[in-house]
Amino acid sequence: MYSRLLQGSAVALGLLMVTPAMAKDDKAAALCAKAEARYVDMFGHPSAEAEGVTVVTMYKYRFCPEKLTVPVGTTVRWVNVDKRTSHTVHLNEAGEKESDRLFPEENFEFTFLSAGSQQYLCGPHWETQKMIGMVTVTP
């Protein structure tokens, strides 16, 4: 009997441990879906249809997607789809200076010419809002 009770408790504990991560992923997915809808409203097409670039939206103090994998030579375009907040893109590890403030509908582009992982952040919001992203560049 204790064995079954312990197994049930272990399953319940496992669910409790998984649920917060799932909730965070669901929240991020919902937020990014709203960011994409704002992008479509602003530009009249999905971000995936932007020519010659891979789009990362900036919305509600998050990058969407937060993690991105692209081949060498890809240009990434960060687009602010917030209503009132400005953001920046700082690719410190690439030796790039921080972008100017990007107001709604403005963008910043960078072409990744070497393989590796590159963390980037929003200068005004990385510390207080954890607005940090990652690009992995493959050969």
Side-chain angles (χ1 to χ4, degrees), residues 30-45 57 81:
L31 186 85
C32 287
K34 287 180 182 178
E36 181 64 19
R38 296 250 330 127
Y39 184 95
V40 171
D41 286 347
M42 290 176 173
F43 301 103
H45 58 83
T57 57
V81 296

Side-chain angles (χ1 to χ4, degrees), residues 115-128:
S117 294
Q118 178 75 216
Q119 186 178 50
Y120 61 91
L121 53 87
C122 173
H125 303 120
W126 76 272
E127 204 166 16
T128 58

